[in-house]
Amino acid sequence: MDFGSFLAAPEIKIRIVTYRDIFQDKAMIENRFGEEYRDRSAIIKLDAADLKQLNVKKGDTVILSNSFGRIVVKAEESGYDTPHRGLAYMPNSPWSNMLVSDETGGTGVPKFKDISVTVTSAKGEKVTEFKP
Amino acid sequence: MEKNYYVCTGCGLLCDDIEVESEKNIINKVYTACRVGVAHMKEVRGEAGFRVDNAPVDEATAIREAASILKNAKNPLIFGLGTSTDEAQKLAIELARKTDATLDDTSSFCLGPLVEALLQDKIKTCTLDDVRNKADVIIFWGADPSDSHPRHLSKHSYFPRGSEKQRGWEEERTAIAIDVRKSHTAKICGNYFFQIPPEGDAEFIDALIAALSGKLPKTSYNYPPKKILELANILKGAKFGVIFAGLGLIYSLKDMEPVFRLMKALNEKANFQLVPMVGHYNMRGFNENLYAETGYVNRVKFENGTVKHGPEYSVVESLKAKTVDAALIIGSDPLSSLPRSVSKNLLEIPVISIDPCETLTSKHSKVYINTAISGVESGGSATRMDGIKVSFKPVVETARLSDEATLKKIMEAL
Ligand code: SF4
């Protein structure tokens, strides 16, 4: 393994806000184990400046990890007009739920829409699969 | 010509104007529905089936096994039911009572507190028909119906001509979005999109309340006071205002007090109602049915004829604390929809999955019963997101059991 490049890969901390997407919902109904649902779920929308700092191009895969899980998803540029460095967006799915904390303060309500993770380039590693 | 309309059970809107063309129990065309509704009604169905330990079995074996799991459990969890009919929900409540179960649904980690407040008359609410006919100021707060309830704006809240709104959205309605990101709905709202930081909702509410009474609105994130004052002015002029409250709002609040404060302040100056953006077609029905039975909308534990209630009986806390020793999951896929850090505990207990489609949860269940899609393959009644009762008939016939029939059989086998 090439440790040099491993150490050199830039890493940033981000906060993920999840949302719903009609195309993704439709894909889930049609086949929740299918490619379209995966392609519309396993993505993260980052600020262009964050992509640059990560040294990652649109469409490359990135690793999102925290103490609850680790997933590989595709990086996209959000395209929002207001900058949002350090904040990224993901459709709500089994992928985002891999990273949601079990810490609820006893309220029974997890923070589905507010997830803190570290992002780094996945260097070509494939998107995480949820196969039955 | 008399038309034959069906109801779509694809989301909490329960659109009742759907036309279909079907032949030999296969739906070929769906008219009027949105893309989610069309996909829902044309859902591809695999083989009907019953499984125990991932091997195909006959109906009697699956039912017997399910009953024995429930019988042997000290504290089974019954969860789901947001996409079940009222009739199935009532049976599930009875089953929970019989088996001393913990009973909860998705409202437990989404809109439950707001539905409860509506049922307890703590917040003024209205129907979607009122909105269509009368609403002049519409706020989508942490809600993006263009994605979650696709026909919301076109059928009810913004675009249609209503009986008292003949000039429509161009002149007579103002749509406002308050959200952490520019959603599809926010784009439609144009200049009336107010972007706030994550978890900034409570502060924004208090700033808005200040602005409503002419005080300078302040937030720690320095939201331009002028914009909040402008918003307050629009709201003050509302003759029939409505807030559609979504998960973005709920998840950022510790409790519902800020919402109560805002509704009070708005109704001192204008006329405002609130409608929660219930996603599953009959989640509200579950809340109402359980409320009628027990006085609680969710998170209950039955024990020797009594009912206990609290966060410790929520699906999340009871799985997390491993207080439940079996699970009956109806029309839900917690292995996908709950944090894996919590749902992984389901893998340690026997699970019965009753669902029209294969899910991660059904694949990991000890017993799986593939049921009819309610609204498409079986009929019944449900409560729309605004509290209106809707009955529906099946579009096609199926040999699959409905949720209701399945629960009845399990109950008999107990
Ligand atoms: S808006 Fe909802 S109920 Fe109406 S057609 Fe679409 S999915 Fe069905």
Side-chain angles (χ1 to χ4, degrees), chain A residues 29-50:
Chain A
I29 295 169
E30 286 173 349
N31 182 4
R32 60 176 73 219
F33 300 113
E35 262 171 52
E36 190 188 351
Y37 182 57
R38 182 200 60 206
D39 291 348
R40 291 187 181 280
S41 302
I43 53 167
I44 183 157
K45 298 188 172 197
L46 291 154
D47 188 286
D50 284 338

Side-chain angles (χ1 to χ4, degrees), chain B residues 84-137:
Chain B
S84 300
T85 59
D86 284 337
E87 295 76 12
Q89 291 173 347
K90 287 178 188 163
L91 278 176
I93 297 171
E94 204 186 316
L95 181 63
R97 209 184 268 286
K98 266 202 179 143
T99 53
D100 279 348
T102 296
L103 174 64
D104 201 13
D105 79 318
T106 48
S107 73
S108 171
F109 49 88
C110 67
L111 294 158
L114 278 184
V115 176
E116 182 177 36
L118 297 187
L119 297 181
Q120 294 172 343
D121 284 326
K122 286 189 188 154
I123 303 182
K124 225 163 67 162
T125 188
C126 65
T127 66
L128 291 169
D129 306 284
D130 294 332
V131 176
R132 184 175 59 249
N133 289 328
K134 298 191 257 190
D136 54 355
V137 178

Side-chain angles (χ1 to χ4, degrees), chain B residues 8-15 18 32-38 40 148-152 155:
Chain B
C8 174
T9 48
C11 80
L13 282 187
L14 286 171
C15 294
I18 314 295
T32 353
C34 69
R35 70 174 70 237
V36 170
V38 172
H40 172 67
S148 61
H149 299 66
R151 295 181 70 209
H152 195 280
K155 192 171 185 317

Side-chain angles (χ1 to χ4, degrees), chain B residues 274-346:
Chain B
L274 182 142
V275 178
M277 291 295 291
V278 173
H280 293 136
Y281 88 79
N282 203 22
M283 187 200 91
R284 178 149 177 179
F286 176 83
N287 294 147
E288 293 191 355
N289 288 324
L290 188 64
Y291 190 75
E293 244 335 275
T294 65
Y296 306 110
V297 297
N298 54 26
R299 302 175 166 191
V300 295
K301 156 79 180 154
F302 292 96
E303 211 167 75
N304 305 322
T306 64
V307 191
K308 298 197 274 187
H309 166 77
E312 65 272 38
Y313 305 116
S314 67
V315 58
V316 168
E317 301 303 335
S318 53
L319 281 176
K320 205 179 137 184
K322 301 189 182 184
T323 51
V324 287
D325 54 356
L328 168 62
I329 313 281
I330 304 155
S332 186
D333 180 16
L335 276 179
S336 296
S337 60
L338 285 182
R340 187 51 76 89
S341 53
V342 172
S343 65
K344 67 177 193 304
N345 292 350
L346 268 179

Side-chain angles (χ1 to χ4, degrees), chain B residues 23 53 59 81 92 103 107 136 211 215 231 256 285 322:
Chain B
E23 210 181 339
D53 289 324
E59 179 189 308
L81 296 157
L103 174 64
S107 73
D136 54 355
K215 293 192 201 100
L231 175 61
M256 292 305 113
K322 301 189 182 184

Side-chain angles (χ1 to χ4, degrees), chain B residues 93-394:
Chain B
I93 297 171
E94 204 186 316
L95 181 63
R97 209 184 268 286
K98 266 202 179 143
T99 53
D100 279 348
T102 296
L103 174 64
D104 201 13
D105 79 318
T106 48
S107 73
S108 171
F109 49 88
C110 67
L111 294 158
L114 278 184
V115 176
E116 182 177 36
L118 297 187
L119 297 181
Q120 294 172 343
D121 284 326
K122 286 189 188 154
I123 303 182
K124 225 163 67 162
T125 188
C126 65
T127 66
L128 291 169
D129 306 284
D130 294 332
V131 176
R132 184 175 59 249
N133 289 328
K134 298 191 257 190
D136 54 355
V137 178
I138 303 114
I139 306 178
F140 301 103
W141 199 318
D144 175 22
S146 299
D147 282 277
S148 61
H149 299 66
R151 295 181 70 209
H152 195 280
L153 277 80
S154 63
K155 192 171 185 317
H156 300 286
S157 57
Y158 188 45
F159 295 113
R161 303 296 192 249
S163 61
E164 294 170 36
K165 285 280 162 282
Q166 287 297 315
R167 290 198 298 279
W169 62 277
E170 304 94 319
E171 293 178 38
E172 290 188 309
R173 296 196 211 266
T174 308
I176 296 160
I178 302 171
D179 211 321
V180 296
R181 81 192 168 98
K182 196 169 188 177
S183 65
H184 291 128
T185 306
K187 280 187 190 156
I188 294 171
C189 297
N191 288 335
Y192 298 119
F193 167 44
F194 296 80
Q195 185 165 13
I196 57 174
E199 311 222 295
D201 301 66
E203 268 192 68
F204 195 82
I205 287 177
D206 285 326
L208 189 54
I209 293 172
L212 282 168
S213 51
K215 293 192 201 100
L216 187 69
K218 281 189 218 139
T219 55
S220 65
Y221 44 86
N222 294 322
Y223 203 93
K226 200 169 145 238
K227 277 210 79 179
I228 303 182
L229 284 164
E230 273 168 28
L231 175 61
N233 259 336
I234 300 171
L235 305 192
K236 267 194 249 180
K239 295 207 172 56
F240 194 98
V242 53
I243 299 178
F244 287 105
L247 295 186
L249 173 60
I250 299 291
Y251 285 155
S252 92
L253 299 177
K254 289 203 175 56
D255 55 49
M256 292 305 113
E257 285 307 319
V259 176
F260 298 154
R261 283 203 292 280
L262 176 65
M263 287 302 286
K264 186 165 169 275
L266 284 171
N267 279 304
E268 277 162 11
K269 308 276 178 194
N271 170 25
F272 263 89
Q273 3 284 316
L274 182 142
V275 178
M277 291 295 291
V278 173
H280 293 136
Y281 88 79
N282 203 22
M283 187 200 91
R284 178 149 177 179
F286 176 83
N287 294 147
E288 293 191 355
N289 288 324
L290 188 64
Y291 190 75
E293 244 335 275
T294 65
Y296 306 110
V297 297
N298 54 26
R299 302 175 166 191
V300 295
K301 156 79 180 154
F302 292 96
E303 211 167 75
N304 305 322
T306 64
V307 191
K308 298 197 274 187
H309 166 77
E312 65 272 38
Y313 305 116
S314 67
V315 58
V316 168
E317 301 303 335
S318 53
L319 281 176
K320 205 179 137 184
K322 301 189 182 184
T323 51
V324 287
D325 54 356
L328 168 62
I329 313 281
I330 304 155
S332 186
D333 180 16
L335 276 179
S336 296
S337 60
L338 285 182
R340 187 51 76 89
S341 53
V342 172
S343 65
K344 67 177 193 304
N345 292 350
L346 268 179
L347 302 172
E348 295 173 17
I349 56 177
V351 173
I352 307 155
S353 161
I354 298 181
D355 206 298
C357 56
E358 288 282 5
T359 63
L360 279 179
T361 306
S362 76
K363 297 278 188 189
H364 286 97
S365 296
K366 182 148 180 67
V367 179
Y368 172 51
I369 299 176
N370 177 268
T371 47
I373 306 175
S374 59
V376 181
E377 299 170 323
S378 63
S381 58
T383 305
R384 199 166 73 175
M385 57 177 278
D386 58 347
I388 296 290
K389 283 272 169 220
V390 179
S391 306
F392 45 84
K393 53 186 187 259

